[in-house]
């Protein structure tokens, strides 16, 4: 096929513009990105070869760096899987990741080129645009590549100015060669000279020391000249050019914890996850006993934008006897822990383990159980020892923990203890269920909650008046799914969860109950017919109308049954296109409220007054709005408000 010229996809072009014009001070990281891609490509060639014999294998894999000082060129050669022509176009011309648009918007919002580089850098990495970072240091990039099961190669060339060309090329060996025509060095402005061996070597050591394949480079070294027979004195040295390995190549997870610096753990994480930010926590341990394995796990700082999409792929790298067997073994962790990144190495698994048998394998299940316990344990420690850090973690990964508390029956109690809620106890600080229980009043039997859109609506909700009067703490569930989570969990430390908006709260003591019953009896006797009249007005939308002693300052509230969906959740569900059948609730009235008392006077004088209809609408609407629900017949409600307003003014 002849040479083809392609335009970069619009998003890619925007990204490259950002790269080229970026004044991001850490330009050296381009080398880490290219080496990381090369290492991934070698891994891929090896593990695809396990099942596909057409993929040829290289006995001695390497990543070679060549420097041409005169032409100011830096070349990276790898023995990886390589790419077919189609793959080059698909992988290098476009950004496949669906989040590109989002990242660009975020980048624009935070400004493309801050001097610290922090904002764009944080974002760039999340979406894996590693290759394009080479445009920070190069005016032109040439890529020669050949896939390990093909004979034809491909050349890709771009100056980053909107287009790139692709044509066929003879490529002697499978793998990829990337040549960068470097921009002039400008060390003062953060662009060191990458034709300087020392610069390249220290950059490799800094970011890529753990890479499992030798990173080779020719450089000048001093060698001792062997002494001739009879020669004495100090041995002489001479300067020679020799190819050396720049990295130590030791898999980081096999090294003793004390020998690994934090930065090394962090760099390995970035290589593994394509995240540019450091991880929140590193968990490194060796399990011994019935099944032995080494685990290096990372909790990220930030949730990937697609973590909560069903298409999200999690999983850990699985090594058996130093061979990478699976790139993303999702079976090693329960689905809700899919945000955890890392590596597992075990000698107890067969080398030819396939995805099909992974799920049933008892070793894998034992590892999964061990990892889950360990991660939950670490999170518990984080919560207990570093509350602020945990709160930040929860902001990002709370939904995953909730998913776990609702689905992992075995660890339900421990995961429930990791949940955080807004509560009436503190305006700012969220509470754990443990803390709630520790503050419960001696006679209090249940954990009370109320669900709604915002803390401020809930704080003033008529449903919580009686609880507040008793000094009972109330959890404010402002995340719509919290209510489902609590319904799934059912209880915590044997205390049941109870919605303040559903059914009878049963919190009064015997004496109070008697007094309340008396009050209601009297109200029924005196104003009973009013209830019937209001019910007649609202008969299509409420189940019943009753007097209640649960209300203190509010005139009315709507009470549902124990397992009803709250109005707020119903609103969210129906917005998401789910069919929520309308539920009729009971309208409770406060017999001691001015509006109710005066309404009775009005009714008593004229049982057929037209105002009755307006007041029924208002009492009902008040209760719906206080719950964060939506009034079914807004026109009717508005009419009632205007009628009463104009009557009051006249
Ligand atoms: P990422 O590495 O995050 O996927 P990049 O833009 O760095 O993003 O690379 C895009 C894709 O191009 C890679 O996913 C890989 O499929 C392919 N690729 C990049 N470099 C190489 C290489 N050296 N060998 C083979 N494929 C590569």
């Amino acid at each position: 096929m002849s040479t083809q010229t392609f335009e970069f996809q619009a998003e890619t072009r925007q990204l490259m513009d950002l790269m080229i014009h970026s004044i991001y001070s850490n330009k050296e990281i381009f080398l880490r990105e290219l080496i990381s891609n090369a290492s991934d490509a070698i891994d891929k060639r090896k593990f695809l070869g396990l099942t596909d014999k057409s993929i040829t294998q290289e006995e001695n894999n390497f990543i070679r760096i060549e420097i041409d000082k005169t032409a100011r060129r830096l070349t990276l050669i790898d023995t990886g899987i390589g790419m077919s022509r189609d793959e080059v176009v698909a992988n290098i011309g476009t950004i496949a990741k669906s989040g590109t648009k989002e990242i660009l918007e975020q980048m624009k919002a935070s400004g493309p080129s801050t001097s610290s580089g922090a904002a764009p850098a944080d974002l760039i990495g999340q979406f894996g645009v590693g290759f394009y970072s080479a445009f920070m240091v190069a005016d032109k990039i040439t890529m020669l590549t050949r896939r390990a099961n093909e004979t034809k190669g491909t050349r890709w060339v771009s100056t980053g100015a909107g287009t790139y060309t692709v044509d066929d090329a003879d490529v002697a060996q499978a793998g990829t060669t990337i040549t960068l025509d470097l921009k002039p060095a400008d060390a003062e402005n953060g662009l060191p000279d990458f034709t300087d061996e020392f610069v390249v070597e220290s950059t490799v050591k800094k970011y890529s020391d753990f890479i499992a394949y030798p990173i080779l480079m020719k450089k000048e070294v001093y060698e001792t000249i062997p002494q001739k027979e009879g020669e004495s004195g100090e041995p002489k040295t001479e300067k020679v050019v020799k190819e050396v390995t720049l990295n130590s190549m030791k898999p980081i997870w096999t090294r003793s914890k004390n020998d690994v610096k934090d930065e090394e753990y962090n760099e390995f994480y970035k290589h593994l996850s394509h995240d540019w930010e450091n991880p929140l926590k590193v968990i490194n341990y060796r399990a011994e006993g019935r099944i032995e394995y080494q685990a290096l796990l990372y909790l990220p700082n930030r949730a990937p934008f697609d973590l909560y999409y069903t298409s999200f792929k999690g999983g850990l790298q699985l090594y058996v006897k130093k061979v990478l067997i699976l790139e993303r073994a999702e079976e090693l962790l329960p689905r809700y822990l899919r945000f955890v990144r890392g590596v597992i190495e075990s000698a107890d698994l067969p080398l030819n383990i396939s995805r099909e048998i992974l799920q049933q394998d008892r070793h894998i299940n034992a590892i999964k159980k061990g990892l889950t316990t360990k991660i939950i344990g670490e999170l518990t420690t984080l919560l207990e020892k570093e509350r602020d850090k945990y709160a930040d973690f929860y902001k990002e990964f709370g939904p995953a923990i909730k998913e776990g508390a609702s689905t992992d029956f075995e660890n339900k109690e421990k995961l429930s203890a990791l949940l955080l809620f807004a509560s009436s106890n503190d305006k700012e600080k969220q509470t754990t269920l443990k803390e709630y229980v520790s503050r419960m009043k001696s006679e209090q039997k249940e954990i009370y909650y109320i669900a709604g859109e915002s803390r401020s609506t809930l704080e003033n909700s008529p449903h919580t008046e009686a609880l507040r009067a008793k000094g009972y703490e109330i959890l404010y569930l402002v995340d719509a799914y919290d209510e489902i989570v609590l319904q799934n969990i059912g209880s915590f430390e044997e205390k049941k969860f109870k919605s303040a908006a559903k059914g009878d709260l049963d919190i009064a003591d015997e004496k109070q109950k008697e007094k309340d019953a008396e009050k209601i009896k009297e109200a029924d006797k005196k104003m009973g017919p009013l209830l019937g009249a209001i019910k007649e007005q609202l008969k299509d939308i409420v189940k019943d109308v009753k007097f209640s002693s649960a209300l203190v300052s509010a005139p009315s509230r709507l009470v549902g049954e124990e397992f009803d969906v709250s109005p707020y959740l119903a609103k969210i569900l129906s917005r998401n296109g789910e069919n929520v059948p309308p539920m009729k609730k009971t309208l409770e009235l406060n017999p001691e409220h001015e509006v109710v008392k005066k309404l009775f006077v009005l009714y008593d004088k004229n049982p057929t007054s037209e105002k009755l209809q307006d007041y029924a609408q208002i009492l009902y609407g008040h209760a719906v709005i206080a719950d964060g629900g939506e009034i079914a017949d807004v026109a009717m409600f508005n009419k009632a408000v205007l009628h009463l307003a104009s009557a009051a003014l006249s």
Side-chain angles (χ1 to χ4, degrees):
M1 220 189 285
S2 56
T3 308
Q4 287 176 289
T5 303
F6 293 90
E7 273 195 19
F8 283 109
Q9 182 196 27
E11 283 96 0
T12 316
R13 213 161 48 223
Q14 263 174 291
L15 269 177
M16 285 180 17
D17 263 7
L18 283 170
M19 284 295 165
I20 293 164
H21 301 120
S22 145
I23 50 164
Y24 179 50
S25 55
N26 244 358
K27 294 194 165 68
E28 63 194 21
I29 51 79
F30 85 92
L31 195 55
R32 165 183 88 192
E33 296 301 306
L34 295 185
I35 290 175
S36 191
N37 280 350
S39 161
D40 287 350
I42 301 174
D43 281 343
K44 200 166 171 191
R45 182 171 183 179
K46 280 170 65 175
F47 75 73
L48 287 180
L50 295 174
T51 50
D52 181 349
K53 292 296 158 226
S54 74
I55 308 242
T56 60
Q57 292 301 312
E58 186 69 42
E59 211 158 291
N60 297 308
N61 284 296
F62 60 80
I63 299 161
R64 173 172 286 133
I65 301 176
E66 288 179 358
I67 292 173
D68 179 339
K69 286 188 201 289
T70 334
R72 287 199 57 73
R73 275 197 191 119
L74 186 73
T75 301
L76 269 97
I77 305 162
D78 69 59
T79 54
I81 180 79
M83 281 177 269
S84 67
R85 186 169 173 139
D86 288 348
E87 282 174 330
V88 170
V89 176
N91 294 341
I92 306 293
T94 54
I95 296 170
K97 315 232 161 70
S98 52
T100 311
K101 276 222 168 69
E102 287 156 56
I103 170 186
L104 286 168
E105 268 151 30
Q106 287 186 52
M107 274 185 167
K108 271 187 220 142
S110 57
S113 38
T114 57
S115 56
S116 71
D122 284 356
L123 297 166
I124 290 163
Q126 284 186 37
F127 301 91
V129 289
F131 175 80
Y132 301 101
S133 64
F135 280 112
M136 293 196 295
V137 300
D139 301 317
K140 180 179 163 193
I141 303 179
T142 308
M143 175 192 280
L144 277 171
T145 185
R146 198 187 99 196
R147 206 170 194 277
N149 57 350
E150 291 188 354
T151 49
K152 263 194 342 205
T154 305
R155 178 188 290 107
W156 178 100
V157 185
S158 177
T159 57
T163 61
Y164 62 94
T165 61
V166 176
D167 61 304
D168 294 344
D170 286 332
V171 179
Q173 276 194 328
T176 302
T177 298
I178 294 172
T179 301
L180 309 180
D181 283 23
L182 295 171
K183 292 181 184 179
D186 183 1
E188 264 170 39
N189 291 309
L191 183 55
D193 186 359
F194 287 100
T195 63
D196 178 343
E197 285 85 358
F198 178 76
V199 170
V200 172
E201 176 165 10
S202 47
T203 309
V204 169
K205 284 226 162 76
K206 184 166 168 195
Y207 295 110
S208 313
D209 191 61
F210 50 81
I211 293 287
Y213 309 105
I215 303 170
L216 307 172
M217 186 182 73
K218 280 197 185 123
K219 68 169 204 180
E220 286 182 336
V221 290
Y222 287 93
E223 282 204 333
T224 315
I225 307 168
Q227 284 183 332
K228 292 201 189 94
E229 253 190 52
E231 216 173 342
S232 62
E234 282 288 303
K236 290 202 178 74
T237 55
E238 65 176 346
K239 219 185 201 181
V240 290
V241 175
K242 225 183 147 183
E243 189 161 67
V244 293
T245 301
L246 303 177
N247 53 331
S248 75
M249 284 201 290
K250 244 189 131 153
I252 199 164
W253 61 91
T254 61
R255 290 165 58 190
S256 147
K257 235 191 264 189
N258 302 332
D259 294 345
V260 184
K261 291 198 229 84
D262 287 352
E263 297 95 80
E264 291 180 90
Y265 277 129
N266 292 347
E267 285 307 327
F268 181 69
Y269 164 73
K270 291 176 188 171
H271 162 70
L272 191 76
S273 64
H274 295 244
D275 190 345
W276 284 33
E277 249 187 294
N278 286 336
L280 176 79
K281 196 156 184 57
V282 183
I283 306 170
N284 188 6
Y285 75 103
R286 191 177 170 76
E288 275 159 7
R290 208 159 49 81
I291 170 140
E292 300 195 348
Y293 61 90
Q294 181 71 44
L296 173 56
L297 305 173
Y298 292 99
L299 307 182
N301 250 310
R302 225 187 289 227
F305 76 97
D306 55 349
L307 182 65
Y308 303 113
Y309 296 0
T310 45
S311 58
F312 183 83
K313 256 184 97 60
L316 303 174
Q317 285 194 343
L318 177 62
Y319 283 80
V320 176
K321 302 187 185 80
K322 311 251 175 303
V323 181
L324 178 65
I325 298 296
L326 286 168
E327 181 72 273
R328 286 177 170 272
E330 291 189 291
E331 295 77 3
L332 287 169
L333 288 173
R335 176 81 184 149
Y336 66 90
L337 291 178
R338 61 189 171 277
F339 59 87
V340 178
R341 310 302 304 259
V343 175
I344 304 300
E345 165 139 17
S346 175
D348 293 346
L349 295 164
L351 265 172
N352 60 353
I353 194 159
S354 72
R355 199 157 274 279
E356 291 68 49
I357 63 168
L358 266 186
Q359 262 161 353
Q360 293 102 315
D361 189 275
R362 66 194 170 84
H363 282 139
I364 293 284
N365 282 328
I367 297 178
K368 180 175 177 178
K369 212 169 155 168
L371 295 176
T372 308
T373 307
K374 183 74 187 179
I375 294 165
I376 295 176
E378 289 285 340
L379 288 174
T380 308
T381 311
L382 192 67
L383 169 72
E384 285 164 2
K385 303 256 162 71
E386 293 174 89
R387 182 62 172 258
D388 290 347
K389 213 166 160 184
Y390 181 80
D392 288 342
F393 163 83
Y394 194 79
K395 246 185 239 153
E396 293 287 316
F397 298 102
I401 301 300
K402 289 173 198 174
E403 199 179 314
S406 319
T407 55
D408 184 350
F409 195 70
E410 223 168 292
N411 293 299
K412 188 175 95 169
E413 195 79 6
K414 283 190 204 144
L415 287 161
S416 306
L418 289 173
L419 300 173
L420 295 180
F421 299 97
S423 127
S424 60
N425 177 63
D426 193 302
K427 275 226 168 280
E428 310 286 328
K429 202 174 157 224
Q430 290 181 299
T431 184
T432 64
L433 293 172
K434 250 198 177 75
E435 290 160 351
Y436 180 106
V437 170
S438 75
R439 287 186 295 260
M440 277 170 77
K441 302 256 163 177
S442 57
E443 78 285 0
Q444 188 185 341
K445 291 195 247 10
E446 292 167 312
I447 298 174
Y448 297 104
Y449 69 84
I450 181 151
E453 201 144 5
S454 70
R455 187 184 170 112
S456 58
T457 351
L458 296 178
E459 273 175 340
N460 302 312
S461 165
H463 296 297
T464 56
E465 287 194 318
L467 291 170
R468 279 181 276 146
K470 291 215 97 175
Y472 291 168
E473 185 172 342
I474 304 145
L475 299 178
Y476 297 135
L477 310 188
V478 284
D479 172 4
Y481 294 98
D482 278 347
E483 194 176 8
I484 303 181
V485 175
L486 291 193
Q487 281 177 3
N488 282 336
I489 305 173
S491 64
F492 183 79
E493 292 183 352
E494 286 159 32
K495 307 281 189 287
K496 283 210 173 100
F497 298 114
K498 178 110 183 141
S499 164
K502 292 170 191 171
D504 183 7
L505 286 178
D506 194 18
I507 48 170
D509 57 29
E510 286 312 314
K511 243 168 94 188
Q512 186 64 41
K513 271 188 196 162
E514 267 174 38
K515 263 168 81 182
D516 288 347
E518 192 55 39
K519 205 160 77 182
I520 299 302
K521 215 167 122 191
E522 233 166 74
D524 279 340
K525 208 164 103 194
K526 191 173 159 212
M527 310 189 283
L530 175 68
L531 295 178
I534 292 178
K535 194 175 171 185
E536 181 55 30
Q537 295 295 338
L538 302 173
K539 63 175 182 289
D540 294 335
I541 40 181
V542 303
K543 198 192 269 172
D544 201 359
V545 182
K546 306 200 283 203
F547 286 123
S548 160
S549 56
L551 293 159
V552 183
S553 64
S556 62
R557 69 166 185 167
L558 280 163
V559 185
E561 301 294 332
E562 186 79 31
F563 292 105
D564 280 355
V565 176
S566 76
Y568 174 51
L569 185 54
K571 194 159 90 178
I572 302 258
L573 291 175
S574 59
R575 257 187 224 154
N576 290 350
E578 282 182 53
N579 184 20
V580 188
M583 276 162 306
K584 282 195 190 172
K585 295 190 169 182
T586 299
L587 181 70
E588 289 188 353
L589 299 182
N590 179 356
E592 287 175 344
H593 196 279
E594 277 308 290
V595 172
V596 176
K597 285 201 274 193
K598 285 187 176 152
L599 186 60
F600 176 70
V601 175
L602 181 115
Y603 168 81
D604 207 27
K605 272 197 209 136
N606 178 8
T608 55
S609 162
E610 278 186 7
K611 281 190 182 160
L612 218 53
Q613 186 190 14
D614 291 339
Y615 279 107
Q617 285 296 332
I618 298 276
L619 287 170
Y620 172 75
H622 165 87
V624 174
I625 294 169
D627 279 349
E630 264 164 19
I631 293 174
D633 193 339
V634 179
M636 184 107 129
F637 177 75
N638 277 347
K639 209 163 79 191
V641 172
L642 289 179
H643 274 167
L644 294 174
S646 71
L649 288 170
S650 55

